[in-house]
Amino acid sequence: MGLDDRKLAVLRAIVEDYVSTQEPVGSKALVERHQLGVSPATVRNDMAVLEEEGYIRQPHTSAGRVPTDRGYRLFVDRLSRVKPLSPAERRAIERFLVGAVDLDDVVHRTVRLLAQLTRQVAVVQYPSLARSSVRHLELVPISTTRLMLVMIADTGRVEQRLVELPAPVPADDVTDLRRLANEKLAGARLSDTPPLVQALVEEVPSELRGAMTTLSTVLLETLVERHEERIALAGTANLTRGGLLDFQGSLRPILEALEEEVVLLKLIGETEPSTTRVLIGDENEFDNLRAASVVSTGYGPGATIVGGLGVLGPTRMDYPGTIATVRAVARYVGELLAQN
Amino acid sequence: MGLDDRKLAVLRAIVEDYVSTQEPVGSKALVERHQLGVSPATVRNDMAVLEEEGYIRQPHTSAGRVPTDRGYRLFVDRLSRVKPLSPAERRAIERFLVGAVDLDDVVHRTVRLLAQLTRQVAVVQYPSLARSSVRHLELVPISTTRLMLVMIADTGRVEQRLVELPAPVPADDVTDLRRLANEKLAGARLSDTPPLVQALVEEVPSELRGAMTTLSTVLLETLVERHEERIALAGTANLTRGGLLDFQGSLRPILEALEEEVVLLKLIGETEPSTTRVLIGDENEFDNLRAASVVSTGYGPGATIVGGLGVLGPTRMDYPGTIATVRAVARYVGELLAQN
DNA sequence: ACTGGCACTCGTTACAGTCGAGTGCCAGGA
DNA sequence: TCCTGGCACTCGACTGTAACGAGTGCCAGT
């Protein structure tokens, strides 16, 4: 009961038409708008098979067909080629990203750009600390018992945290602490720091032991365990396109999911293979997002991956175009990061 | 044609009922649910007057009355007392805010708390740099021609920016630059820095002149002119409560407005008088937000104001409760900041 | 100045009927 | 064997009509 070429062509046509018109597509309209070379009746037979196999469905009897999640999946995997970007889009990307002065700036511009180009919700993960190295650690005395710990990563990320010391530490000792910490940790990948930090505490002169212990706790806690990951979001207004037809009428669950950083990270952060990932409908693990699809990929300077980015939209989305845009933006961002 | 006490009581009753039921309220229902001591017919006469004066309106003939923006305004100004918070709410606030380790942490917790308590969209402005003082400036060499400039403000804000130097500067000179910059600028209010920065460039030894000029440009550009203000947002999912009845069916304009930092700053950032501000319906300047109301106030350690926070919701909102919550949260945040 | 009564308005709901897009199936033809 | 034209059928969308009822405005009476 395999699908022959024509049936696949029919599925492709259904997906394309439905994506662009947002209305169930019938056999007659199909043969009119695509050169299938057969009659509506034949198409109907094919449709019956496609429906039986779960690739399309009828919203109600006597309506046209609509792709199922499974249908989109087949379409993405086997029936579509990634669209090349238009020159206008390429230009838009370049224009948007030049002139960024900051990592913050880069991330914000990227997320807005992505939202604008795809007309969907865009999500960009800041370069993951776990995948970054320490460039420099700075200790700034705020008072005798308080330090501001500032860590600068090679990806440009800067994290800070207030440290309450157990006892007053003179300025000279702070200098020592800073020097020691930098000697041991500068250049180390953050994921490798725990043992180094451990060693650091032990090597330190006894009069600094207390301060260094506190410091190391904070270091590990802040940089390795806690919020660690940051996310930027843009384009939520795009959810309202397609007038409530997408997302079965309620934006509620989607908006709720978008507020959860953990959810977003799961969606775009898992970049094991450095390829583009497409999650269609209920392929993702969150009930709130059953009506949505996510296209995501990793980015980073050169071939390494330091974070993820992607977009979220209705299952009825232009997959080839979206995939192309997401990839292109990721590549440009990578180049931008490589320059710094 | 003034409004006597009973007419005001009727208006108050209409606002309260409409806010809680979300349905136009009729004369009969009014006398049943409030002790007005008069008959429906009398109430109808009062309503006719209130309508003529523009405080209420009928969505259509033979429907109940609904308050107008003007009606809400009168209600807020003269007919309502700020509700004291319930002990449960007070406890929630304290529980939510203890344990914050960071300015970032404080802001994020606050905005989520505010969204949760008011069940609306919450907005918190980070402490404004313009209202902060420089606590410390740090210069971290990244390469011979690149520095990372990190500024720590007394409010806990940390801003960083990459500086491209016109020529290589040896490490010792960086130390000098750092020392000079801190001597001149530490403790200064950021709004007062421009002349100080200017003076700094002129005092510097000639071999550092070039580097210092670049540095000062970046300083002024980043800290005074550019993004300067930051905003945190939460609770957008609350916009979907009241099933599309609020906001006349489309969240679009609201979501668009919420993406514009400038808009949000205008809404909650203007805290000239340190009192709570209520913008009802089209009282705000943005067309996109004509269907929304904003309750905002300033916050800061002690009596000074360093930033604004507030919530945005449908004009049909519980003003007394929302005002109370916004004020309480602002006060707690102020205390929290004062501790640091 | 308030109240009861009454006619009136108009949105909502229910129901019936028509229309038409789209289907499934079948018999006939390449 | 596969495709096609034809045909009966289904069912949602739309239209028109009628009954209902919440709510109003007005007026005469207390």
Side-chain angles (χ1 to χ4, degrees), chain B residues 6 37-39 41-42 44 60-62:
Chain B
R6 198 188 55 224
V38 292
S39 78
T42 309
R44 284 204 286 280
H60 39 257
T61 332
S62 102

Side-chain angles (χ1 to χ4, degrees), chain B residues 267-294:
Chain B
L267 290 180
I268 64 152
E270 291 178 357
T271 46
E272 323 93 9
S274 78
T275 177
T276 311
R277 190 171 62 155
V278 181
L279 284 175
I280 297 168
D282 57 12
E283 290 174 5
N284 80 68
E285 60 190 297
F286 303 102
D287 283 353
N288 275 1
L289 297 177
R290 256 173 297 161
S293 286
V294 176

Side-chain angles (χ1 to χ4, degrees), chain A residues 6 38-39 41-42 44-45 60-62:
Chain A
R6 199 188 53 225
V38 292
S39 77
T42 309
R44 284 204 285 281
N45 288 330
H60 36 256
T61 331
S62 102

Side-chain angles (χ1 to χ4, degrees), chain B residues 163-178:
Chain B
V163 184
E164 299 278 350
L165 297 171
V169 174
D172 285 355
D173 288 357
V174 172
T175 311
D176 288 345
L177 282 173
R178 179 188 303 129

Side-chain angles (χ1 to χ4, degrees), chain B residues 189-210:
Chain B
R189 306 207 85 206
L190 264 156
S191 47
D192 300 336
T193 47
L196 293 176
V197 171
Q198 208 57 42
L200 193 53
V201 175
E202 283 154 22
E203 284 184 27
V204 117
S206 60
E207 70 271 22
L208 295 181
R209 185 66 55 91

